[in-house]
C-alpha cells in the first residue's frame, strides 16, 4: 500500500531563501489551507519591501469584487514613493477565468519595482497548464502552496509558541492538542493562547488542554466512543447531550460516528492480523501516527464481533434517518445505548 506523498515545499523554500537574501521577485501566487503561514509570509514580504511609514503610498490591495485589469494596471504603474519597491496584493481573483490574454500580457511586462501577489483564500487555486498564462506564471512567477504542516514541524512550532508564553509542553501533550483541536495553525494559535493563559504551572498538562481548548467535532465523537469502551455510558450520553445542545445535526453526528466506527473496526482487524498503527495511517491517509495509535489503544477494548456489528448498525440507523422520517435524535441516542449495552459482546 502506497504511503501518501509529502507535499512539495520547493516553492516555499525558495520564498524563504529570497526573504533571507532580500531578493524577492515580481510575481507570486499564494494558495493552500494554512492561512496562518500565508499571512505570516505576506507580512514578512511587506516588511522587506516597504519602508516603515510609507505603506500607504506603496502598498495596494484589490479584492475580487473590485477587480478589473485597468485598476490592476494602474496600481502596477504606480511608482514607488521613498521606496525601492511597491507591493500589490490581489485577493481571491481566479487567474484562469476572465480575460486571460489581457492578464498574460500585463504579467509579461511587470516593472522591476513591483511585487504582485495573487492570494487565494476563499477559493481554490486550479491552474490550467494548457494556457499561455500558466507558462508566464511558471517563467516569471512563484506559485507557493501553504499546506497543512507535518506533525513534527507542528509539535516544534507549538513548543516555541508556549515558550513565548513562559510555558513548556511535552511532545505527547502537543500531539494531544493537535488531535483535540486540529492541525491548522490559525486555529491552534488561539487555542495555545487560551491554554497558556489558563495553565497555572510552567509545564502544560492534558488537564489544562481539556479545561479550555475547543475540540474539533471528530475529537468529541472519539471521546464518546472512548467512554463506551471504558463502560462509562453516563459520560458518553453526556457528550452526546452536549452536542445536541450545540445544535449539531444528528445526521452529521452519525456520519462522524460511522467513520469513527469504521476506523475502529479496521484497527481491530489490524490487531487480529498483527499489524501496527502504520497500517491505519496508510489505509486512512492520516497525516500523523497519533490518531492511529489512539485507535489501536481503543480497539484493544472491543471485540472483533462488536466492531463489525457496530459498523452494520450505524449503516442501518443512517438509512432509517434518511428514509423513515423518524426523529434523528431518538435514533442516534438509541444507537448509543445499544452500543454501550453490547460493548462486551
Amino acid at each position: 500500500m502506497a504511503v501518501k506523498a509529502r507535499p512539495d515545499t520547493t516553492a516555499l523554500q525558495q520564498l524563504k531563501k529570497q526573504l533571507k537574501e532580500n531578493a524577492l521577485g515580481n510575481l507570486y501566487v499564494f494558495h493552500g489551507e494554512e492561512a496562518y503561514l500565508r499571512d505570516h509570509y505576506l507580512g514578512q514580504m511587506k516588511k522587506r519591501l516597504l519602508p516603515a511609514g510609507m505603506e500607504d503610498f506603496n502598498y495596494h490591495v484589490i479584492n475580487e469584487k473590485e477587480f478589473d485589469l485597468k485598476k490592476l494596471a494602474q496600481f502596477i504603474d504606480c511608482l514607488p514613493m521613498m521606496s525601492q519597491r511597491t507591493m500589490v496584493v490581489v485577493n481571491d481573483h481566479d487567474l484562469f477565468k476572465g480575460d486571460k490574454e489581457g492578464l498574460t500580457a500585463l504579467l509579461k511586462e511587470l516593472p522591476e519595482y513591483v511585487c504582485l501577489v495573487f492570494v487565494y483564500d476563499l477559493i481554490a487555486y486550479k491552474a490550467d497548464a494548457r494556457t499561455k498564462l500558466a507558462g508566464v506564471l511558471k517563467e516569471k512567477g512563484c506559485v507557493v502552496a501553504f499546506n497543512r504542516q507535518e506533525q513534527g514541524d507542528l509539535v516544534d512550532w507549538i513548543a516555541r509558541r508556549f515558550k513565548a508564553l513562559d510555558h513548556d509542553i511535552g511532545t505527547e501533550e502537543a500531539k494531544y492538542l493537535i488531535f483535540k483541536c486540529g492541525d491548522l495553525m490559525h486555529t491552534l494559535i488561539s487555542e495555545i493562547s487560551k491554554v497558556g493563559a489558563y495553565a497555572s504551572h510552567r509545564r502544560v498538562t492534558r488537564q489544562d488542554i481539556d479545561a479550555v481548548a475547543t475540540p474539533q467535532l471528530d475529537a468529541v465523537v472519539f471521546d464518546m466512543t472512548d467512554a463506551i469502551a471504558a463502560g462509562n455510558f453516563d459520560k458518553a450520553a453526556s457528550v452526546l447531550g452536549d452536542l445536541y445542545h450545540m445544535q449539531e445535526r444528528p445526521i452529521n453526528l452519525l456520519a462522524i460516528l460511522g467513520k469513527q466506527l469504521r476506523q475502529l473496526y479496521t484497527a481491530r482487524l489490524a490487531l487480529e492480523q498483527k499489524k501496527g498503527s502504520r497500517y491505519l495511517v496508510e489505509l486512512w491517509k492520516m497525516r500523523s501516527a497519533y490518531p492511529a495509535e489512539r485507535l489501536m489503544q481503543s480497539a484493544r477494548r472491543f471485540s472483533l464481533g462488536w466492531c463489525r456489528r457496530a459498523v452494520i448498525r450505524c449503516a442501518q440507523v443512517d438509512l432509517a434517518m434518511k428514509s423513515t422520517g423518524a426523529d434523528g435524535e431518538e435514533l442516534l441516542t438509541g444507537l448509543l445505548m445499544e452500543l454501550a449495552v453490547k460493548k462486551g459482546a
Side-chain angles (χ1 to χ4, degrees), residues 207-226:
Q207 289 73 26
D208 295 327
I209 295 169
D210 287 336
V212 294
T214 303
Q216 59 180 347
L217 193 54
D218 285 24
V220 177
V221 174
F222 192 99
D223 285 344
M224 190 165 66
T225 55
D226 251 10

Side-chain angles (χ1 to χ4, degrees), residues 64-109:
E64 170 56 20
K65 288 183 179 179
E66 58 195 27
F67 179 87
D68 63 57
L69 280 182
K70 184 177 180 181
K71 185 167 188 174
L72 177 59
Q74 288 173 345
F75 281 147
I76 289 173
D77 289 339
C78 285
L79 293 171
M81 181 176 291
M82 299 180 67
S83 171
Q84 295 296 314
R85 306 286 301 271
T86 65
M87 185 172 177
V88 181
V89 175
V90 180
N91 289 316
D92 283 324
H93 174 69
D94 192 334
L95 288 162
F96 294 93
K97 290 185 178 179
D99 187 359
K100 292 190 289 292
E101 291 186 6
L103 186 57
T104 300
L106 189 63
L107 298 184
K108 278 184 177 180
E109 305 297 332

Side-chain angles (χ1 to χ4, degrees), residues 37-242:
L37 271 185
R38 181 198 69 215
D39 292 344
H40 168 77
Y41 283 104
L42 277 173
Q44 291 298 304
M45 292 172 73
K46 191 175 178 181
K47 286 181 182 179
R48 279 275 188 265
L49 294 170
L50 310 178
M54 300 306 296
E55 293 90 349
D56 289 347
F57 302 101
N58 299 304
Y59 182 69
H60 313 286
V61 179
I62 307 176
N63 295 317
E64 170 56 20
K65 288 183 179 179
E66 58 195 27
F67 179 87
D68 63 57
L69 280 182
K70 184 177 180 181
K71 185 167 188 174
L72 177 59
Q74 288 173 345
F75 281 147
I76 289 173
D77 289 339
C78 285
L79 293 171
M81 181 176 291
M82 299 180 67
S83 171
Q84 295 296 314
R85 306 286 301 271
T86 65
M87 185 172 177
V88 181
V89 175
V90 180
N91 289 316
D92 283 324
H93 174 69
D94 192 334
L95 288 162
F96 294 93
K97 290 185 178 179
D99 187 359
K100 292 190 289 292
E101 291 186 6
L103 186 57
T104 300
L106 189 63
L107 298 184
K108 278 184 177 180
E109 305 297 332
L110 285 177
E112 287 299 315
Y113 59 78
V114 74
C115 179
L116 174 60
V117 187
F118 289 92
V119 176
Y120 283 71
D121 182 20
L122 302 178
I123 63 174
Y125 175 69
K126 296 179 181 178
D128 187 347
R130 302 167 298 178
T131 62
K132 292 180 180 179
L133 178 57
V136 171
L137 289 174
K138 185 176 181 180
E139 177 188 354
K140 296 182 175 292
C142 182
V143 179
V144 185
F146 294 97
N147 299 305
R148 293 172 185 257
Q149 298 298 286
E150 296 295 323
Q151 179 176 268
D153 295 331
L154 266 184
V155 166
D156 292 342
W157 174 77
I158 288 170
R160 293 196 300 272
R161 296 303 306 182
F162 272 114
K163 190 172 183 179
L165 299 173
D166 293 325
H167 286 290
D168 295 326
I169 187 169
T171 298
E172 290 306 308
E173 285 72 26
K175 289 179 181 178
Y176 180 69
L177 180 64
I178 296 168
F179 174 78
K180 195 88 171 176
C181 302
D183 60 358
L184 285 175
M185 296 167 81
H186 75 269
T187 300
L188 285 169
I189 193 70
S190 62
E191 301 302 329
I192 291 169
S193 296
K194 287 193 296 185
V195 174
Y198 174 83
S200 57
H201 303 286
R202 183 171 182 88
R203 186 77 168 185
V204 171
T205 66
R206 286 196 181 195
Q207 289 73 26
D208 295 327
I209 295 169
D210 287 336
V212 294
T214 303
Q216 59 180 347
L217 193 54
D218 285 24
V220 177
V221 174
F222 192 99
D223 285 344
M224 190 165 66
T225 55
D226 251 10
I228 293 173
N232 191 344
F233 175 72
D234 289 342
K235 181 180 177 181
S238 175
V239 171
L240 183 59
D242 289 342

